[in-house]
Amino acid sequence: MLRELMRARRFAPLFWTQALGAMNDNMFKNALVVLALFRLTHLGPVVVALSGGVFLLPYAVFSATAGQIADANEKSRVIRWVKFWELGLMALASWGFLSGNFGVLLAVLFGLGVQAAFFSPLKYGILPDHLAGEELVAGNGLVEAGTFTGILLGTVLGGVLLLLPDGALAASGACLGVAALGILAAYRIPLAPSAQPQLRPGWNFAAETWALVRLARENAPVWFAIYGISWFWAVGATLLAAFPTLARQVLHADGHVVTLMLGVFAVGVGIGSLAVARFVEDASLVDYVAAAGVGVSVFTADFALTALRAGELGTVAAVLGGFAGWHMLVDLLLLAVCGGAFSVPLYVLLQERSAASHRARMVGANNVMNALASVLAAGITALLYARGVGAPAVLLGVAAGNALVAWWIFRVVRSGVHQGSSAPL
């Protein structure tokens, strides 16, 4: 089924559009992270932690209206608008890289967050228009795998290109080129008729957001999925901010080690997402979420403790040349595999239990809660780093908190509350 979907026009162009978008976002973001870590020595970790919040804050502000636009319009056309928006932002990013202006680069990061907030309801809302049943499960798994493959390639290229002698120019050209490829792919996406043509988007962002969240809370399965996905985003944001800081401050590593760690993490999430799509039946999807959550906690804690004992691993050769380095990489891979297996069932639950006329808006409500959780996590993490708390301690705290959430998910799934449709959890 996976091969058939990757050849089908009803899925493949969307897959490449979103994968290229994820690649570009992360190519830009990792180039910014590497630039901050090596040019802003003392403020680098704080900038890295806050960068996740800067990117995700627009989700909290604009997702309600973005969901309304997706439900009210033909989705493939709006996707093309959003991709041209990305191209304009990457032109501005080129100016920021070439001038070394962090204010411009952070503004671009915020703009990419706004663009992503409008793209997400389109991406997840259009999938059930063209896929159903096991195809929908497979499509979600492929989208997650494609997203994290894009994250992997973007993360690697962002770090590698910026570290070249003419790194600013190379990173700028790559960002513009990938944006252009994304536009070409978007023009191949088939039509997806409006779910509610009479809907008029509201532009009072605060009121629309509050109304949307209240609407989502009325559907227990949807609200359960939103809770779980939001926690996944908060954990992911904390981990992705911790890895570069841990590499720099604990392992005394260079930028290539940071890129290796982020790349292994992205590969793991892709593997976990594809495994769910390939081997798990639709009816039993949610049963695996709590077990995957336990795996995230176990391997996160082991990664942090191994890093504390590893000593200095300053280069990729040093990481790959000893047991401690390989131990850390295996932990990273396995915690990411569990993360991929954690998220895909919840996205499928969200899509399947949302009414077709409100599906994109339910994705928007999910994005609001994801963003609030991630921004809060980024703020707490930045504060901890500013007060001198080390990355290993942050990771151990994440592992403990995640174990409690996994236990809560296990209790909810056993009770069957997530199968209802009337009362909020």
Side-chain angles (χ1 to χ4, degrees):
M1 182 185 298
L2 300 182
R3 291 181 181 177
E4 287 79 3
L5 283 178
M6 288 302 298
R7 291 196 294 263
R9 186 178 173 187
R10 59 198 170 93
F11 176 77
L14 176 67
F15 172 87
W16 291 113
T17 300
Q18 61 86 29
L20 288 166
M23 177 179 173
N24 223 10
D25 289 347
N26 286 275
M27 184 159 54
F28 169 81
K29 185 179 176 182
N30 199 42
L32 172 59
V33 163
V34 172
L35 198 65
L37 281 174
F38 289 91
R39 285 199 186 177
L40 305 174
T41 306
H42 298 296
L43 291 177
V46 177
V47 172
V48 172
L50 288 177
S51 65
V54 170
F55 181 76
L56 293 171
L57 180 61
Y59 280 87
V61 179
F62 301 112
S63 287
T65 299
Q68 292 173 340
I69 290 173
D71 275 334
N73 292 276
E74 194 282 305
K75 296 181 183 66
S76 67
R77 181 180 61 192
V78 185
I79 287 173
R80 291 192 290 273
W81 293 347
V82 171
K83 297 304 289 185
F84 275 108
W85 182 351
E86 178 186 329
L87 183 64
L89 287 169
M90 289 309 171
L92 183 60
S94 299
W95 174 37
F97 279 129
L98 294 172
S99 64
N101 189 320
F102 279 94
V104 170
L105 293 174
L106 288 173
V108 170
L109 188 62
F110 182 83
L112 286 173
V114 177
Q115 184 253 358
F118 278 85
F119 181 65
S120 183
L122 294 162
K123 174 177 72 172
Y124 287 110
I126 201 173
L127 275 174
D129 290 336
H130 299 305
L131 308 176
E134 291 185 3
E135 280 194 340
L136 182 60
V137 177
N140 273 280
L142 286 168
V143 165
E144 289 295 291
T147 296
F148 281 93
T149 300
I151 290 172
L152 166 63
L153 294 175
T155 298
V156 171
L157 286 173
V160 169
L161 291 174
L162 196 77
L163 293 172
L164 293 174
D166 294 317
L169 183 61
S172 300
C175 288
L176 286 168
V178 173
L181 289 175
I183 291 172
L184 293 177
Y187 270 95
R188 294 283 297 165
I189 296 174
L191 296 177
S194 167
Q196 200 170 348
Q198 71 276 17
L199 179 65
R200 294 293 176 265
W203 299 98
N204 183 334
F205 299 124
E208 297 298 333
T209 298
W210 176 242
L212 183 63
V213 170
R214 285 193 302 170
L215 180 63
R217 289 192 75 248
E218 294 174 0
N219 187 318
V222 167
W223 195 241
F224 168 73
I226 287 174
Y227 266 143
I229 296 168
S230 297
W231 176 255
F232 172 76
W233 274 50
V235 170
T238 305
L239 293 178
L240 290 173
F243 296 154
T245 302
L246 180 143
R248 189 72 175 154
Q249 295 185 342
V250 178
L251 304 177
H252 306 290
D254 60 22
H256 298 296
V257 172
V258 174
T259 299
L260 174 65
M261 292 171 63
L262 295 175
V264 168
F265 183 81
V267 168
V269 175
I271 292 172
S273 302
L274 285 176
V276 168
R278 177 66 179 84
F279 298 112
V280 180
E281 295 294 330
D282 187 12
S284 61
L285 274 174
V286 180
D287 296 341
Y288 291 84
V289 175
V294 171
V296 170
S297 290
V298 169
F299 295 117
T300 298
D302 194 56
F303 172 79
L305 294 173
T306 303
L308 283 172
R309 299 190 299 263
E312 185 170 321
L313 297 174
T315 64
V316 171
V319 172
L320 299 178
F323 176 78
W326 278 103
H327 189 167
M328 290 171 55
L329 293 180
V330 170
D331 277 336
L332 267 182
L333 181 70
L334 292 177
L335 80 86
V337 168
C338 292
F342 182 95
S343 64
V344 170
L346 295 172
Y347 275 111
V348 174
L349 180 67
L350 172 65
Q351 292 166 331
E352 289 189 331
R353 301 310 293 269
S354 299
S357 60
H358 291 68
R359 186 178 291 124
R361 274 170 285 172
M362 292 302 96
V363 175
N366 174 61
N367 290 342
V368 170
M369 299 304 294
N370 294 173
L372 291 175
S374 300
V375 170
L376 179 62
I380 292 172
T381 304
L383 180 62
L384 291 172
Y385 289 145
R387 291 180 175 272
V389 177
V394 170
L395 291 174
L396 290 172
V398 168
N402 189 71
L404 295 176
V405 171
W407 172 247
W408 171 76
I409 290 173
F410 174 74
R411 294 287 300 274
V412 171
V413 172
R414 279 193 65 187
S415 70
V417 173
H418 71 289
Q419 296 173 347
S421 60
S422 58
L425 294 171

